[in-house]
């Protein structure tokens, strides 16, 4: 895919060689000054070209031939610099080079002291000026939209920038977003494969911030965290100029590294090159929250100014919890059209409670229309009636207080984890070491993570059994996701899980082998206490091994579980699971297990875990216990 | 055979949420799509789109419930006035109506900013907006053009 696009780019670029500028003496002078100043190796030039050091030397991450003026520009920054200077003198280029690359030219003009009167045409660009004037950028914030596990592509969250003008309302800012342009017709599998392998083009875009607020907190039910950055207006300007030169420029989108979050860092580096943010992310995968941490670590955020924008779902749940029972029920009935808004007004509640009940009814109605659960006309009439009733109550002081603010995401544990410890299985002791590049499970301290979302990518553990001198890869989860989101009278999310893994399974008392398996489940979760939920999932699992009769087993079954936080810093996860073979191996079932996993937080990046399980596999029963020390990092 | 099909279907159904992209998602990796792309194609005017929004002028036909969809601003009308306010009201009409009815909130603050209402007179402005709700939203199908006119009048009355 990539090689092909590089080849095509080269081909296209070769076809689009600009007409060589005439041998203008001023051009020669600029080139020699640029060379003696070593500009083509300047860190800022590398930022402008999105250069990254790879296996085959430095190359630009941008894949669009339109982004390069030199045929070899993608891999040759010096040639690209010369071609960029040529562009200033090339009257055949349309649009003029300085309109296409305002960021590059602003920097070159500053570094070389370019005299515009000695150029063949004045480097003025109304189109660019219009954009800059419209946005009127003075300051920048970084926004983190929390993860949404029911859309796997969004499960790690999302980051974008907000450009603010002098107007004193955050809603009037502009969101700068980097996203892949996907084909809505692509199915889930195509989408996933293309997303991981660079099959989609990513683009930068700019849109009103209120559109993003509606999209994330209104429709998508995701909380937003807004981090104001301490960039000065002088630093914001080059960011804007660089953004303008990236308009309509395509870069192959890679879900794991060249993604929304990584690409934004080029813009921040353009504003403050000394932060070198893109350089902090050379590990093969980039998680949105990690880029926020990098931005915090680089000192770009002033403490104490972080704003939280709760999603509509959070607001509705909070508002319901504040109302007396009668108003809680009534607001739902009013929203559903089963009672007139006047019934809230004429009730016995205080004015404040009435106001909150009507506000809640309006919010519920907006949730319904956003989810397409009602007709447009019906919405208009009911919404109008509720709001008309609301105007009977005094303005201001009776509004619903905001929900309590959760711990901000950056206060959560880091995204990667290693652990070491030991335990016993059956009658034999073992030592264990494990790793997890990303991200979170139910025994990790939950602050800063989406409640109920378990996501593990490439997590594994190896065991050494000293008595029998065996080393075993105990498990390796290529991907494991579980979402347990409790249902209530308003929200009815499905709970589900999916897992692709290899794990060591026992087949007889003395024989084990490594079994590739894939499983999934779907079901429901309910809240059972203030900090405890219970779930039930129907499950299916396919496993392959020579040691199964017929070499495979497809099984069906289910799991019941509880996750709880008995005390702050103590996470508990109890689960019972059963699977019975229905195809392939069917005579040896069912496999049953019960496990109790616990996590004890020692500090933000350190935890103790204790697991205990009892299982009965192929009619052989075993107990297992492990105790491990876990260290989070990155 | 029946059994095989049944189990295969079961595995597929159970695994579906794990691999399915949400319908209508236009974007990989981070949430919903970038709606700036017109006609599903990216072109040089991605950023210009923004400027075009201003040049489009007014979306006078917006009513309640429009902003929850992804409708585009389709019917420019030549009504003089504060274009950013028109645009803002069109896109945020539902929230704005709620805040006007409650006499407070982020969207009425934003309107005050756009109309240059001085900070000290804002509490009174919000109160007047709440009292003027029947005038601003006379019917459930009131459109944005009327809303903006009515708000502007109320602001002018001070």
């Amino acid at each position: 895919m990539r090689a092909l696009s590089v080849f095509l780019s080269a081909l296209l670029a070769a076809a689009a060689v600009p007409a060589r500028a005439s041998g203008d003496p001023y051009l020669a002078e600029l080139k020699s000054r640029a060379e003696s100043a070593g500009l083509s190796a300047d860190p800022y030039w590398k930022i402008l070209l999105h250069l990254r050091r790879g296996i085959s030397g430095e190359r630009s991450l941008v894949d669009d031939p339109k982004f390069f003026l030199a045929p070899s520009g993608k891999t040759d920054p010096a040639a690209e610099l010369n071609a960029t200077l040529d562009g200033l003198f090339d009257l055949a280029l349309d649009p003029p080079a300085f309109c296409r690359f305002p960021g590059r030219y602003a920097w070159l003009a500053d570094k070389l002291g370019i005299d515009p009167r000695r150029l063949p045409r004045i480097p003025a660009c109304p189109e660019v000026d219009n954009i800059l004037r419209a946005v009127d950028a003075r300051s920048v914030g970084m926004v983190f939209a929390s993860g949404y596990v029911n859309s796997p592509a969004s499960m790690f969250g999302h980051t974008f920038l907000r450009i603010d003008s002098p107007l004193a309302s955050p809603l009037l800012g502009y969101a700068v977003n980097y996203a892949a342009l996907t084909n809505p017709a692509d199915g889930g599998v195509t989408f996933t494969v293309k997303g991981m392998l660079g099959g989609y083009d990513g683009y930068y875009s700019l849109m009103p911030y209120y559109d993003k607020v509606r999209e994330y907190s209104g429709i998508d039910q995701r909380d937003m965290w807004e981090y104001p950055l301490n960039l000065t207006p002088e630093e914001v300007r080059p960011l804007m100029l660089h953004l303008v030169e990236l308009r309509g420029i395509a870069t192959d989108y890679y879900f794991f590294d060249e993604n929304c979050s990584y690409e934004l860092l080029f813009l921040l580096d353009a504003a403050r090159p000394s932060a070198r943010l893109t350089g902090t992310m050379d590990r093969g995968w980039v998680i949105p929250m990690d880029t926020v941490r990098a931005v915090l670590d680089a000192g770009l955020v002033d403490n104490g100014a972080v704003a939280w924008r709760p999603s509509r779902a959070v607001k509705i749940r909070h508002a319901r919890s504040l109302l007396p029972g009668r108003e809680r029920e009534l607001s739902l009935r009013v929203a559903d059209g089963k009672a007139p808004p006047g019934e809230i007004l004429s009730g016995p509640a205080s004015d404040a409670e009435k106001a909150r009940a009507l506000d809640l009814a309006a919010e519920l109605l907006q949730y319904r229309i956003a989810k397409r659960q009602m007709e447009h006309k019906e919405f208009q009439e009911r919404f109008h009636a509720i709001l008309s009733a609301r105007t009977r109550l005094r303005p201001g002081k009776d509004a619903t207080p905001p929900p309590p603010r959760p711990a901000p995401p950056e206060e959560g544990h880091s995204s990667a984890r290693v652990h070491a410890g030991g335990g016993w299985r059956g009658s034999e002791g073992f030592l264990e070491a494990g790793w997890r590049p990303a991200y979170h499970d139910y025994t990790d301290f939950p602050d800063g993570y989406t409640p109920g979302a378990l996501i593990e990518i490439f997590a594994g553990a190896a065991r050494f059994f000293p008595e029998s001198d065996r080393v075993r890869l105990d498990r390796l989860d290529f991907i494991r996701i579980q979402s347990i989101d409790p249902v209530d009278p308003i929200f009815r999310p499905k709970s589900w899980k999916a897992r692709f893994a290899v794990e060591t399974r026992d087949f007889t008392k003395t024989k084990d082998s490594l079994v590739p398996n894939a499983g999934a489940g779907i079901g429901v979760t309910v809240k059972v206490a203030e900090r405890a939920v219970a779930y039930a999932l129907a499950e299916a699992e396919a496993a392959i091994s020579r040691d199964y009769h017929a070499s495979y087993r497809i099984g069906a079954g289910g799991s019941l579980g509880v996750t709880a936080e008995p005390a702050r810093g103590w996470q508990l996860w109890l689960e019972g699971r059963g699977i019975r073979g229905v195809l392939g191996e069917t005579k040896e079932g069912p496999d049953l297990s019960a496990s109790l996993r616990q996590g004890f937080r020692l500090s933000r990046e350190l935890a103790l875990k204790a697991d205990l399980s009892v299982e009965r596999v192929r009619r052989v029963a075993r107990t297992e216990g492990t105790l491990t020390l876990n260290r989070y990092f990155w | 055979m029946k059994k095989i099909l049944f189990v295969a279907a079961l595995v597929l159904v159970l695994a579906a949420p794990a691999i399915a992209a949400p319908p209508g998602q236009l974007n990989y990796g981070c949430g919903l799509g970038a709606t700036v792309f017109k006609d599903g194609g990216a072109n040089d005017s991605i950023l210009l789109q923004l400027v075009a929004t201003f040049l489009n002028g007014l979306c006078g036909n917006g009513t309640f419930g429009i902003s929850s969809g992804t409708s585009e601003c389709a019917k420019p009308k030549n009504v003089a006035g504060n274009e950013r306010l028109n645009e803002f009201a069109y896109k945020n009409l539902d929230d704005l109506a709620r805040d006007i009815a409650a006499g407070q909130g982020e969207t009425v603050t934003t309107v005050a900013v756009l109309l240059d209402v001085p900070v000290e007179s804002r509490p009174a402005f919000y109160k007047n907006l709440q009292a003027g709700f029947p005038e601003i939203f006379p019917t459930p199908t009131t459109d944005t053009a009327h809303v903006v006119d009515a708000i502007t009048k109320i602001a002018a009355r001070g």
Side-chain angles (χ1 to χ4, degrees):
Chain A
M1 187 73 217
R2 198 153 214 201
L4 180 69
S5 69
V6 169
F7 174 72
L8 281 176
S9 309
L11 211 63
L12 282 166
V17 181
R20 285 309 282 183
S22 52
D24 190 303
Y26 189 47
L27 172 59
E29 186 190 324
L30 290 175
K31 281 186 178 177
S32 77
R33 264 197 273 155
E35 190 162 357
S36 57
L39 287 194
S40 68
D42 190 288
Y44 202 79
W45 184 242
K46 293 179 181 180
I47 292 167
L48 287 171
L49 293 186
H50 295 203
L51 285 186
R52 189 157 74 169
R53 182 161 294 291
I55 307 157
S56 52
E58 280 194 321
R59 56 187 313 125
S60 170
L61 293 177
V62 177
D63 300 290
D64 198 324
K66 288 203 298 289
F67 190 67
F68 304 102
L69 289 163
S72 60
K74 189 171 162 75
T75 52
D76 188 346
E80 186 59 25
L81 188 89
N82 278 332
T84 303
L85 288 171
D86 283 336
L88 277 178
F89 293 80
D90 188 346
L91 294 172
L93 279 181
D94 185 43
F98 45 78
C99 287
R100 280 173 57 186
F101 300 108
R104 294 187 195 182
Y105 284 108
W107 180 70
L108 287 170
D110 175 52
K111 284 285 177 189
L112 298 171
I114 294 175
D115 178 357
R117 288 162 308 181
R118 293 180 68 187
L119 300 176
R121 58 178 164 188
I122 301 293
C125 211
E127 177 206 337
V128 172
D129 294 341
N130 280 343
I131 296 172
L132 297 179
R133 226 192 340 266
V135 178
D136 197 10
R138 301 300 166 86
S139 58
V140 176
M142 190 169 191
V143 182
F144 174 74
S146 63
Y148 177 64
V149 79
N150 286 344
S151 151
S154 317
M155 62 196 176
F156 293 111
H158 176 45
T159 53
F160 52 99
L161 300 180
R162 189 180 76 211
I163 311 282
D164 289 317
S165 72
L167 289 170
S169 168
L171 290 180
L172 296 173
Y174 285 95
V176 173
N177 194 49
Y178 179 82
L181 186 64
T182 62
N183 181 348
D186 285 350
V189 177
T190 316
F191 178 80
T192 306
V193 172
K194 279 172 86 172
M196 286 183 187
L197 301 180
Y200 290 119
D201 282 338
Y203 290 93
Y204 291 86
S205 59
L206 188 70
M207 67 197 78
Y209 184 61
Y210 50 70
D211 282 346
K212 278 282 168 209
V213 171
R214 188 174 45 250
E215 178 186 320
Y216 284 104
S217 78
I219 298 174
D220 231 4
Q221 310 308 325
R222 295 161 70 175
D223 290 2
M224 292 162 81
W225 293 87
E226 300 167 349
Y227 299 83
L229 305 181
N230 53 24
L231 298 173
T232 62
E234 296 69 42
E235 289 174 311
V236 174
R237 188 174 167 81
L239 181 156
M240 281 304 296
L241 291 173
H242 186 47
L243 175 65
V244 169
E245 69 191 12
L246 289 163
R247 69 192 189 282
I249 297 293
T251 296
D252 292 350
Y253 190 100
Y254 292 84
F255 178 64
F256 284 113
D257 60 348
E258 288 181 53
N259 58 21
C260 61
S261 293
Y262 181 78
E263 296 286 337
L264 283 184
L265 300 180
F266 284 110
L267 295 174
L268 295 178
D269 277 349
R272 188 174 295 174
S274 59
R276 295 179 179 251
L277 290 164
T278 46
T280 62
M281 288 288 150
D282 275 345
R283 62 174 93 140
W285 69 91
V286 178
I287 294 173
M289 194 56 226
D290 290 347
T291 65
V292 177
R293 285 202 178 92
V295 166
L296 285 158
D297 292 345
L300 266 74
V301 181
D302 291 330
N303 286 339
V306 181
W308 176 58
R309 198 178 278 275
S311 72
R312 177 164 287 142
V314 168
K315 285 192 287 195
I316 287 175
R317 283 180 170 150
H318 176 68
R320 282 174 57 81
S321 73
L322 296 178
L323 286 175
R326 177 183 179 271
E327 273 61 35
R328 192 182 312 149
E329 296 313 308
L330 194 52
S331 61
L332 183 53
R333 285 177 46 226
V334 168
D336 289 340
K338 293 175 183 147
E343 207 170 310
I344 292 177
L345 286 178
S346 59
S350 69
D351 273 5
E353 284 165 346
K354 289 175 183 175
R356 289 169 192 181
L358 286 164
D359 285 345
L360 174 60
E363 189 95 64
L364 284 167
L365 210 57
Q366 286 187 281
Y367 173 74
R368 294 263 193 266
I369 187 86
K371 290 286 172 207
R372 301 281 185 275
Q373 292 170 353
M374 64 189 303
E375 291 298 316
H376 187 189
K377 190 167 159 29
E378 197 182 17
F379 170 81
Q380 289 180 317
E381 283 166 10
R382 209 174 294 160
F383 194 59
H384 191 259
I386 291 169
L387 297 187
S388 299
R390 178 66 177 86
T391 60
R392 310 281 182 78
L393 299 158
R394 278 168 313 159
K397 65 183 195 27
D398 290 341
T400 307
R405 187 170 152 143
E410 72 273 13
E411 284 179 17
H413 64 76
S414 289
S415 59
R417 187 183 81 186
V418 289
H419 74 257
W424 80 91
R425 178 168 174 78
S427 56
E428 208 179 354
F430 61 81
L431 297 171
E432 175 173 309
W435 59 91
R436 188 183 71 193
Y439 184 58
H440 186 76
D441 73 43
Y442 301 140
T443 63
D444 294 318
F445 193 60
D447 277 16
Y449 287 80
T450 307
L454 175 151
I455 301 165
E456 294 191 313
I457 308 269
F458 225 76
R463 289 177 176 178
F464 170 56
F465 295 85
E467 284 169 56
S468 52
D469 201 26
R470 289 180 301 151
V471 174
R472 288 286 182 272
L473 174 63
D474 183 63
R475 61 193 178 271
L476 175 57
D477 284 278
F478 301 111
I479 184 161
R480 180 179 187 184
I481 304 173
Q482 185 166 335
S483 171
I484 51 173
D485 197 359
V487 295
D488 62 27
I490 313 291
F491 302 98
R492 306 223 161 270
K494 288 189 179 67
S495 294
W496 58 277
K497 71 192 281 188
R499 183 180 183 212
F500 296 89
V502 292
E503 64 184 345
T504 296
R505 293 187 178 178
D506 290 310
F507 284 88
T508 66
K509 273 204 159 106
T510 54
K511 178 158 182 28
D512 58 14
S513 66
L514 198 62
V515 180
N517 62 86
I522 193 152
V524 69
T525 303
V526 292
K527 193 169 170 177
V528 290
E530 192 40 52
R531 286 202 297 264
V533 300
Y535 61 89
L537 301 173
E539 294 195 29
E541 182 196 275
I544 303 165
S545 168
R546 278 198 323 265
D547 295 306
Y548 283 121
H549 308 310
S551 300
Y552 76 101
R553 185 186 75 180
I554 292 177
S559 56
L560 295 170
V562 172
T563 65
E565 189 177 43
R568 284 296 276 164
W570 175 17
Q571 314 310 128
L572 191 142
W573 180 14
L574 186 67
E575 180 175 273
R577 183 169 182 263
I579 290 281
R580 185 183 195 107
V582 285
L583 281 177
E585 177 170 296
T586 57
K587 303 269 189 293
E588 299 279 1
D591 292 352
L592 299 170
S593 67
S595 61
L596 170 64
R597 300 185 186 91
Q598 296 177 86
F600 304 92
R601 178 179 189 262
L602 303 176
S603 71
R604 192 168 79 93
E605 305 287 38
L606 210 59
L608 200 62
K609 308 242 164 162
D611 296 349
L612 197 62
S613 68
V614 186
E615 61 177 40
R616 185 171 169 282
V617 175
R618 290 184 143 219
R619 302 191 182 95
V620 179
R622 280 183 200 78
T623 57
E624 180 182 298
T626 50
L627 187 65
T628 59
L629 188 61
N630 292 250
R631 173 84 164 79
Y632 305 89
F633 60 101
W634 270 334
Chain B
M1 189 64 212
K2 247 196 185 142
K3 201 149 125 187
I4 293 182
L5 284 175
F6 168 74
V7 173
L10 183 71
V11 170
L12 269 177
V13 166
L14 291 178
I19 52 174
Q25 176 161 316
L26 271 174
N27 152 317
Y28 193 92
C30 314
L32 298 169
T35 48
V36 288
F37 303 112
K38 278 269 172 66
D39 311 320
N43 55 37
D44 264 349
S45 64
I46 287 173
L47 273 163
L48 279 178
Q49 171 75 42
L50 162 77
V51 182
T53 315
F54 294 121
L55 304 177
N56 262 347
L58 179 56
C59 316
N61 59 331
T63 55
F64 284 153
I66 288 289
S67 61
S68 58
T70 51
S71 75
E72 290 281 354
C73 195
K75 278 197 186 171
K77 273 193 193 173
N78 291 321
V79 176
N82 186 327
E83 280 178 9
R84 282 207 79 172
L85 179 58
N86 293 330
E87 183 68 20
F88 179 78
Y90 173 82
K91 288 282 193 59
N92 299 280
L93 197 65
D94 301 354
D95 286 342
L96 180 59
R98 278 189 58 189
D99 287 352
I100 288 173
Q104 65 146 35
E106 195 176 24
T107 60
V108 286
T109 305
T110 304
V111 167
V113 167
L114 286 171
L115 287 172
D116 284 329
V117 179
V119 176
E120 62 279 6
S121 18
R122 282 178 197 175
F125 174 58
Y126 303 152
K127 208 180 205 146
N128 295 340
L129 284 179
Q130 192 199 32
F133 184 88
E135 181 188 339
I136 304 170
F137 297 98
T139 69
T141 54
T142 305
D143 67 23
T144 313
H146 176 91
V147 171
V148 172
D149 279 350
I151 290 175
T152 314
K153 277 192 195 119
I154 288 171
R157 289 205 291 263

